[in-house]
Amino acid sequence: MDFRNNEEDYIKTIYTLIEAFGSANEIGISSDLNVSMPTVSEYLNKLEAKNIIKKFNRKIYLTTYGLDLAAPIMSRHRISEVFAVKMLDVPWEESHDAVMDIEHSIDDLHFNKLRKNLGNPDRCPHGNPINIKENPNIMEFSINQVPEGRYKLSRIIYEENNLLKKFADASILPGQNLTFYRDGRSIVISGNNEFKIPEKLAGSFRLVTSYE
Amino acid sequence: MDFRNNEEDYIKTIYTLIEAFGSANEIGISSDLNVSMPTVSEYLNKLEAKNIIKKFNRKIYLTTYGLDLAAPIMSRHRISEVFAVKMLDVPWEESHDAVMDIEHSIDDLHFNKLRKNLGNPDRCPHGNPINIKENPNIMEFSINQVPEGRYKLSRIIYEENNLLKKFADASILPGQNLTFYRDGRSIVISGNNEFKIPEKLAGSFRLVTSYE
DNA sequence: CAACAATATTAGGTATACCTAAATAAATTT
DNA sequence: AAATTTATTTAGGTATACCTAATATTGTTG
Ligand SMILES: [Mn+2]
Ligand SMILES: [Mn+2]
Ligand SMILES: [Mn+2]
Ligand SMILES: [Mn+2]
């Protein structure tokens, strides 16, 4: 009876799952928001009735209206993460979890001031754009689109704690280089050290060609 | 169905009313928190059952335990106000209202980091101490304790929007000088301009002798 | 001191976001 | 195709913080 998610949390989670993996499903939402499946099912009905999401088969998508709602939500989330890193001394890999209350507690007007006073960042600590409607104009690929090799990490879309920790431990933050190779249904990534992640997560991190 | 107060809000409001006026009552709490009288009555029963408050006649006080709870709550509130002024460009007289969500959304550990990164303030923008258990060792008086005349404003405990605005408009912020005289049941205060406030509020602002 | 005003409480009800247990539907395996 | 596993929904219920209308209590004052 402690954490209660609100509409913004549902939209944020759905947006992120779609951006990372193409669509969202109820299991993913349930595990990201730490609520039971019936709770998700029920909540999605509300979002559907409000024309925020649409389901095809069992895949969940945001409507155009839903995307319009998502833009400022993602922006507030990502500015909050920059704030957490710069003003609360939170390590970048923990910043996603650290802001889950803050992001709802400041309005857009004040978030703009905060962003300015933080030096006008345009990416969150994980490399994701603060303005999702701005096309960053970068040639980004997800791991399943490119051959094994060496790349620069552009961003990590699905900001899951354990995943982020692995990157942090290997000193691979956005902007840094990594090498990867496939091992069956897994992907082995190395920076300062090596770690393995399931192929399912491949869509979540985006790479650019490394010119170094 | 938008704003919902939680236990911290009730404790903060009760603490403030007691500090400003000696005790709290249900009407004061109701108007400060914008909730109906039955809601207050009901909530106070819970706080009493939890040994946080105690009623004598109709006057409400915090227990020792309640005061222990109030200390970090007031601290978070007041650090939030400094943050609002410095990082969100909020005018000092509006900062109290601006932080009503923020103050609940950051834990003590991170509030300490924030405070440090804000330059270790020890007062909120209204002059009130961030650490309420530290005795500021200042000879402070409320208006009903001193003769008419010229004083330095030390702090404004009851941070009510209209009240703060009057001080701001007259350019009297904590640390600045004011002159006052009595006019029946009102008090007339002047800084850059003159305004009148009901005697009831006298306890809320504290003065020190001005040496200028 | 009765009358009126101010303050507080009771009674009965709402919305939101949760939950467990059980049922159903869809996708994978044997 | 039947059996099993995975994903989703239904049914029925909880806690928290609110509300209005009505009633009771206390304080003030003519
Ligand atoms: Mn994040
Ligand atoms: Mn991020
Ligand atoms: Mn305040
Ligand atoms: Mn203050």
Side-chain angles (χ1 to χ4, degrees):
Chain A
M1 289 117 234
D2 226 348
F3 275 142
R4 328 202 71 214
N5 297 292
N6 60 21
E7 192 173 281
E8 299 204 343
D9 293 307
Y10 283 88
I11 293 174
K12 177 185 66 172
T13 293
I14 294 166
Y15 177 87
T16 301
L17 290 170
I18 295 171
E19 194 183 12
F21 308 116
S23 65
N25 64 5
E26 300 197 8
I27 293 239
I29 298 165
S30 159
S31 98
D32 287 2
L33 293 179
N34 286 303
V35 292
S36 72
M37 297 284 298
T39 298
V40 174
S41 180
E42 216 174 65
Y43 210 103
L44 293 184
N45 287 340
K46 273 187 240 171
L47 295 181
E48 200 167 25
K50 290 172 88 173
N51 192 37
I52 292 171
I53 61 159
K54 192 94 224 220
K55 298 182 200 169
F56 292 108
N57 309 321
R58 275 140 169 245
K59 300 193 167 171
I60 296 150
Y61 301 91
L62 287 165
T63 61
T64 306
Y65 172 55
L67 268 175
D68 286 346
L69 296 181
I73 293 169
M74 295 314 296
S75 176
R76 289 192 285 267
H77 174 73
R78 290 168 179 175
I79 293 168
S80 299
E81 289 178 332
V82 177
F83 166 68
V85 169
K86 291 207 182 174
M87 299 291 292
L88 307 182
D89 299 347
V90 174
W92 75 276
E93 73 274 17
E94 290 170 21
S95 61
H96 175 83
D97 289 336
V99 303
M100 62 185 172
D101 286 336
I102 301 168
E103 62 188 333
H104 305 300
S105 69
I106 300 175
D107 62 30
D108 283 323
L109 173 74
H110 293 130
F111 259 119
N112 285 336
K113 305 287 194 178
L114 178 59
R115 186 182 182 185
K116 181 200 75 190
N117 289 323
L118 290 169
N120 278 308
D122 53 51
R123 298 275 169 159
C124 81
H126 315 95
N128 298 308
I130 285 171
N131 191 335
I132 68 174
K133 303 246 170 159
E134 239 167 44
N135 196 320
N137 217 33
I138 286 175
M139 291 296 276
E140 276 184 346
F141 304 94
S142 79
I143 272 196
N144 40 36
Q145 295 176 296
V146 293
E148 295 174 337
R150 184 164 187 75
Y151 298 88
K152 182 156 78 175
L153 177 64
S154 170
R155 56 195 188 113
I156 303 170
I157 299 171
Y158 185 65
E159 303 173 338
E160 193 274 321
N161 206 265
N162 295 308
L163 184 64
L164 294 174
K165 204 139 229 119
K166 285 177 185 170
F167 280 85
D169 287 348
S171 308
I172 312 174
L173 42 148
Q176 241 99 49
N177 290 319
L178 85 243
T179 310
F180 86 88
Y181 62 88
R182 273 168 244 283
D183 179 12
R185 304 211 145 280
S186 294
I187 293 156
V188 180
I189 295 180
S190 38
N192 279 9
N193 59 51
E194 215 177 70
F195 60 96
K196 191 180 284 199
I197 56 177
E199 198 187 32
K200 285 205 159 199
L201 290 175
S204 169
F205 26 87
R206 299 296 160 82
L207 310 173
V208 294
T209 308
S210 177
Y211 299 106
E212 292 175 277
Chain B
M1 289 120 233
D2 227 349
F3 275 144
R4 330 202 69 214
N5 297 290
N6 59 21
E7 192 172 283
E8 298 203 343
D9 293 307
Y10 282 89
I11 293 173
K12 178 185 67 172
T13 293
I14 294 165
Y15 177 87
T16 301
L17 289 170
I18 295 171
E19 194 184 13
F21 309 115
S23 65
N25 65 4
E26 300 198 9
I27 292 241
I29 297 165
S30 160
S31 98
D32 286 2
L33 293 178
N34 284 302
V35 292
S36 71
M37 296 285 295
T39 298
V40 175
S41 179
E42 216 172 66
Y43 210 103
L44 293 184
N45 286 341
K46 274 188 240 172
L47 295 181
E48 199 167 27
K50 292 173 87 173
N51 192 36
I52 292 170
I53 61 159
K54 194 93 224 221
K55 298 183 200 168
F56 292 109
N57 309 320
R58 278 143 166 240
K59 301 196 167 169
I60 296 151
Y61 301 90
L62 287 166
T63 61
T64 307
Y65 172 54
L67 268 174
D68 286 346
L69 296 180
I73 292 169
M74 295 314 295
S75 175
R76 288 192 287 267
H77 173 73
R78 291 167 179 176
I79 293 168
S80 298
E81 289 178 332
V82 177
F83 165 68
V85 169
K86 291 207 183 175
M87 298 292 290
L88 307 181
D89 299 347
V90 173
W92 75 276
E93 72 274 18
E94 290 170 21
S95 62
H96 175 82
D97 289 336
V99 303
M100 61 183 171
D101 287 334
I102 301 169
E103 62 188 333
H104 305 299
S105 69
I106 301 175
D107 62 30
D108 282 325
L109 173 73
H110 293 130
F111 258 118
N112 285 336
K113 305 287 192 177
L114 178 59
R115 186 184 182 183
K116 181 200 75 191
N117 289 322
L118 289 170
N120 277 309
D122 54 50
R123 297 275 168 158
C124 81
H126 315 94
N128 299 307
I130 286 171
N131 191 334
I132 68 174
K133 303 246 171 158
E134 239 167 43
N135 196 321
N137 217 34
I138 287 175
M139 290 297 275
E140 276 184 346
F141 304 94
S142 78
I143 273 197
N144 40 36
Q145 296 176 296
V146 292
E148 296 175 336
R150 187 163 185 78
Y151 297 88
K152 183 155 80 175
L153 177 64
S154 169
R155 56 194 187 112
I156 303 171
I157 299 170
Y158 185 65
E159 302 173 338
E160 193 274 319
N161 206 264
N162 295 307
L163 184 62
L164 294 174
K165 204 138 230 119
K166 284 176 186 170
F167 279 86
D169 287 348
S171 308
I172 312 173
L173 41 147
Q176 241 100 49
N177 291 321
L178 86 243
T179 311
F180 85 89
Y181 63 88
R182 275 168 243 281
D183 179 13
R185 305 210 144 283
S186 295
I187 293 157
V188 179
I189 296 181
S190 38
N192 279 7
N193 58 51
E194 216 177 70
F195 60 98
K196 191 180 285 199
I197 55 179
E199 198 186 33
K200 285 205 158 197
L201 291 174
S204 169
F205 26 87
R206 299 296 160 83
L207 310 174
V208 293
T209 307
S210 177
Y211 299 107
E212 295 176 273

